[in-house]
Amino acid sequence: MRRTLSLLIVVTVLAGIVQAASATQIGVVLAGSGLDFWGPMSRGMHRAADDLHVELLMRSPSDGMSLGAEPNIQLRMIDYLVKSGVAGIVLAPEPLQDVATPIPIAVPTVFVDRSSTDYNAISTVSTDNFAAGRTAALSLVPVLRKGARIAVLRLAPNISSTTAREEGFLAVAREMGWHVVIAPYVGYQFRETEAQVRKSLSGDVGHLDAVFAPNETIAYGALHVVEEMPVSTRPRLVVFDWRPEFLHALEHGVIHADVVQDSYRMGYRSVETLVAALQGQPPRPKIFVDVVTVTRENLNDPAIRAVLANYRR
């Protein structure tokens, strides 16, 4: 009896080892890890992996590293994942420098958050960024007149997602007859970006009607700069992405509107799309995940709260 029980235990343990060893591995390379945007995305990916019974192998650079100190670092991470035997890769691509493109990846690849011409991918799961940029601008239509003076604080010319948001916002500005008097590239690192925002806006205090900040780092810096202005001279601030400290600014009217991406859902759908493709289900080339526009008036809306809850640290 004891020998039979021991044999059953050994067989069960070995079966578990074999099952674990044979689980499909999915590689993930994001474009950063520190921004609040990446946290919900990562959690969405892990939830999808649990639901679909696959394993994730994640390798992501620090925020902005690919654009500064270590260009093309994602290439080394992708090479590591392929050599580790992953069945496919989810990639938030950073622009490559001084290499022939498109780079072939030996396994099926799904882009998340942004598209790229530097690699080939079977699908892109992202926000419809041009439409979301338009949404940001449309939040200002009820409160701005024709001829309003606008600042669009741009991230970098080679990041497709933020460029599309900026262009969507600018399209509405042209339609409404607003004057875009400031449109500098202010960068992607928190401290440097805030300094550039302050420099860009300092000469127009009291003369700007609105400011658009198209991503988390710029929104963070712009909020600090606008908060320092006298209340009577503050422009209406429209931001993109979410940080918990934006809640207070919305409640007190410093932020006019915040267009928030559902990065948790984006992460979930990217893994789901790749796993389905590996199982023989061809994906749609583009899969868009809806944004929500958060204002002081709708903060308690259940749909808004559900998206914001994913950003809790």
Side-chain angles (χ1 to χ4, degrees), residues 110-111 114-116 121-130 164 269 273 282-289:
V110 169
F111 290 150
R114 62 192 71 172
S115 59
S116 173
I122 60 174
S123 182
T124 300
V125 180
S126 70
T127 295
D128 184 341
N129 284 292
F130 185 85
R269 290 296 303 276
T273 299
R284 300 200 309 273
K286 292 185 178 181
I287 298 170
F288 290 135
V289 176

Side-chain angles (χ1 to χ4, degrees), residues 168-223:
F169 189 97
L170 290 168
V172 172
R174 289 189 292 269
E175 293 166 11
M176 300 306 300
W178 302 337
H179 297 317
V180 180
V181 296
I182 298 173
Y185 288 105
V186 296
Y188 46 85
Q189 299 286 1
F190 280 102
R191 183 175 298 175
E192 292 83 354
T193 294
E194 184 172 332
Q196 287 298 317
V197 170
R198 181 170 283 103
K199 179 180 177 181
S200 298
L201 300 185
S202 61
D204 283 270
V205 174
H207 303 287
L208 279 175
D209 295 296
V211 174
F212 176 49
N215 87 318
E216 181 180 336
T217 52
I218 300 175
Y220 184 80
L223 174 59

Side-chain angles (χ1 to χ4, degrees), residues 1-12:
M1 183 68 179
R2 288 181 179 176
R3 288 181 181 177
T4 302
L5 182 59
S6 298
L7 180 60
L8 285 172
I9 291 172
V10 170
V11 169
T12 301

